[in-house]
Amino acid sequence: MGMNVEERETVRPPDGGWGWAVLLGCFVITGFSYAFPKAVSVYFKELMKDFNCGYSDTAWISSIMLAMLYGSGPVSSIMVNKFGCRPVMLVGGLLASGGMIGASFTTNIIQLYLTAGVITGLGLALNFQPSLIMLGSYFDKRRPLANGLAAAGSPVFLSALSPLGQVLLNHYGWRGGFLIMGGLLLNCCTCGAVMRPLKRKERKAMAKGEVFSQELNEMLPSKAGQESDKCKNNNDGRHRKKKKKLLDFSVLRDKGLIIYVIAKFILVLGLFVPTILLVNYAKDQGVPDQDAAFLLSIIGFIDIFARPTCGIVAGLKWMRPKTAYLFSLALLFNGLTDVCSATNTDYKGLVIFCVFFGLSYGMVGALQFEVLMGIVGTSGFSSALGLVLLIEAVSVLIGPPSAGYLVDTYKNYELIFYMAGGELITAGIFLAVASFCCIKQKKRKDPPQMHHAEEANNHINHES
């Protein structure tokens, strides 16, 4: 009986303590993972000159990076389930850095796709997913706030990396810039080292339980002791069998998850398009290079405040069961911002667009993983995240290059904003309507998953 209590106590997330260090690591990783593919867009004009290519060709660099970030989801899930979060993140940090360093020596656009796109993208993927899994294991009651704060890494880094990229480009050219960016990515290894697993505490608690059971065995006759050992071995075997399941496809039986996946596929088609092509668009309108790069910083600065604020709102007791609706509202807001700003050509208009885009984009960023955690719970989060990211990889590969193709073909940026906005509005409406239709099922499924730790806690209190 005492042993069960010990196990439950260790499984419960601490909601603080070392969790804050894990949160800081997750903040930095999220920053690099989401901001880096957009910040690279500062170099696109120079790359187009050096390699004689168009918008869609350079947009593929960011797209491949993001597609690797998403598409490597199942690979990352399997590696985390087999080796743990920390070793996977350390390897990821080395790959991300090595890819950008290699990119600085490339002589054609295909080599850039392989180095900056595939290798750096894979490195970021191997950091991003384990950091989210660790965050989910350290926080439960404060999880919406933790997700909001971690998600704020994306805008903070976007605000810094975009102007830094322009400064590096002016002083060292794109090759020097890529080399220095590669060095910066080594910080991912430091963040990986911070991700201390919670299992260590579990083992200590289990050791106490084992001592207790050994004492019992000594007091009992030898046959009973042997039988209890056999039972224990059988139970251990079962636990091992469960652990060997590297990717759990059973999470796809949840209707709520299927709705979420479809909505995410549609929204990712248009979500990153404005940020990836905004700097080039501004430069084409005659905006000076430094001011054009600053536009991404405006989005980032507004986003910094939007994400934690949205995380706090989502964490309110009356709002937490309705996060899916808040998420769909954020999608509608972002889509309408794109559509309403399609005709902006002057710098003031672009700044206003960036303010509203940053606000709505921050809401989407803060809520996307919180909604997923609410649907599948902590136990199924690793596998669900891997599968969701794989499906999103397809749409992120289609989105930005197709927008670049529209610009190359029709020489008209308005179409991009209409296209991206339309996709986000569609995703928002679909998520709200579909969630409303399946809400009864969700109500049955969510509480035991979301409040599992609280129930265990109550159980312990009753026993004691």
Side-chain angles (χ1 to χ4, degrees):
M1 197 77 161
M3 195 172 148
N4 289 341
V5 173
E6 286 284 356
E7 278 182 53
R8 281 192 188 119
E9 281 183 328
T10 52
V11 168
R12 281 175 61 213
D15 269 314
W18 189 253
W20 297 118
V22 171
L23 175 58
L24 181 64
C26 197
F27 174 88
V28 175
I29 296 293
T30 307
F32 276 125
S33 300
Y34 275 117
F36 208 81
K38 294 159 206 159
V40 170
S41 66
V42 168
Y43 299 97
F44 284 179
K45 277 278 180 189
E46 289 300 312
L47 293 171
M48 284 162 71
K49 280 181 197 170
D50 273 24
F51 297 137
N52 289 322
C53 54
Y55 283 113
S56 57
D57 294 326
T58 48
W60 271 103
I61 299 165
S62 292
S63 265
I64 291 167
M65 214 182 270
L66 284 165
M68 288 304 294
L69 176 65
Y70 289 138
S72 310
V75 176
S76 190
S77 284
I78 289 165
M79 287 180 75
V80 165
N81 290 339
K82 193 162 188 179
F83 304 110
C85 290
R86 193 185 269 171
V88 173
M89 288 179 75
L90 290 169
V91 170
L94 293 171
L95 279 175
S97 175
M100 286 308 287
I101 292 166
S104 67
F105 298 102
T106 53
T107 52
N108 61 53
I109 198 87
I110 304 295
Q111 289 173 358
L112 256 183
Y113 293 159
L114 290 170
T115 50
V118 175
I119 299 171
T120 298
L122 178 62
L124 292 173
L126 294 179
N127 273 286
F128 177 59
Q129 199 176 331
S131 70
L132 273 180
I133 292 163
M134 288 300 291
L135 190 70
S137 67
Y138 269 89
F139 289 91
D140 179 51
K141 285 181 182 175
R142 292 178 178 169
R143 200 182 65 210
L145 175 64
N147 271 322
L149 288 169
S154 170
V156 170
F157 274 63
L158 188 60
S159 305
L161 288 176
S162 187
L164 175 68
Q166 193 63 52
V167 169
L168 293 175
L169 181 64
N170 296 341
H171 284 81
Y172 307 106
W174 69 266
R175 291 184 189 275
F178 275 20
L179 195 65
I180 293 164
M181 291 280 203
L184 281 175
L185 282 169
L186 280 171
N187 284 298
C188 293
C189 294
T190 314
C191 296
V194 166
M195 301 293 169
R196 190 168 71 198
L198 275 170
K199 282 182 183 177
R200 284 186 182 181
K201 290 181 184 176
E202 280 178 47
R203 279 176 199 154
K204 284 177 191 171
M206 285 295 285
K208 285 178 195 171
E210 277 166 20
V211 168
F212 180 65
S213 64
Q214 273 176 356
E215 285 172 9
L216 272 176
N217 288 345
E218 282 167 17
M219 289 161 71
L220 292 166
S222 57
K223 278 183 184 177
Q226 282 169 4
E227 278 173 23
S228 66
D229 280 344
K230 276 180 189 175
C231 290
K232 208 169 103 181
N233 289 337
N234 288 340
N235 287 336
D236 286 349
R238 278 176 205 151
H239 284 305
R240 276 175 203 147
K241 275 177 191 174
K242 279 181 187 174
K243 280 182 184 176
K244 277 181 187 176
K245 205 170 192 182
L246 298 176
L247 197 64
D248 186 10
F249 286 93
S250 65
V251 288
L252 289 170
R253 289 177 196 154
D254 194 322
K255 278 188 182 179
L257 182 62
I258 298 297
I259 291 164
Y260 179 85
V261 165
I262 296 166
K264 279 299 292 281
F265 180 85
I266 300 165
L267 85 90
V268 171
L269 282 171
L271 186 65
F272 303 115
V273 168
T275 46
I276 288 173
L277 292 170
L278 182 67
V279 177
N280 270 356
Y281 172 51
K283 285 178 181 177
D284 276 5
Q285 301 303 322
V287 175
D289 287 5
Q290 210 70 41
D291 291 344
F294 184 66
L295 286 171
L296 285 181
S297 297
I298 295 167
I299 291 174
F301 185 73
I302 299 294
D303 201 345
I304 289 165
F305 298 100
R307 292 192 189 215
T309 308
C310 196
I312 292 164
V313 172
L316 297 171
K317 273 188 179 180
W318 59 273
M319 181 54 80
R320 203 162 177 187
K322 297 168 187 170
T323 44
Y325 296 115
L326 188 63
F327 186 45
S328 60
L329 187 71
L331 298 181
L332 284 170
F333 182 19
N334 191 271
L336 288 168
T337 304
D338 289 346
V339 171
C340 295
S341 308
T343 52
N344 280 342
T345 50
D346 62 321
Y347 193 66
K348 275 185 186 176
L350 288 171
V351 168
I352 293 164
F353 162 73
C354 289
V355 169
F356 282 100
F357 186 86
L359 189 62
S360 56
Y361 188 78
M363 287 172 72
V364 173
L367 293 167
Q368 56 180 345
F369 297 116
E370 176 56 32
V371 172
L372 180 60
M373 282 182 192
I375 292 166
V376 296
T378 319
S379 56
F381 183 66
S382 172
S383 295
L385 183 63
L387 295 166
V388 167
L389 292 180
L390 176 64
I391 291 156
E392 282 179 40
V394 180
S395 59
V396 87
L397 260 181
I398 300 165
S402 61
Y405 176 77
L406 280 176
V407 175
D408 289 336
T409 310
Y410 299 104
K411 308 293 177 194
N412 186 356
Y413 277 96
E414 277 182 43
L415 294 170
I416 289 175
F417 290 96
Y418 287 130
M419 182 189 84
E423 284 157 355
L424 276 140
I425 290 165
T426 306
I429 293 167
F430 170 77
L431 182 66
V433 172
S435 296
F436 182 74
C437 295
C438 295
I439 202 82
K440 284 178 186 172
Q441 257 204 330
K442 274 192 176 186
K443 273 184 181 173
R444 281 184 215 136
K445 283 186 179 179
D446 279 3
Q449 289 169 331
M450 283 179 73
H451 306 293
H452 180 71
E454 287 171 32
E455 280 179 19
N457 194 19
N458 292 335
H459 192 62
I460 291 160
N461 292 337
H462 284 306
E463 282 181 347
S464 58

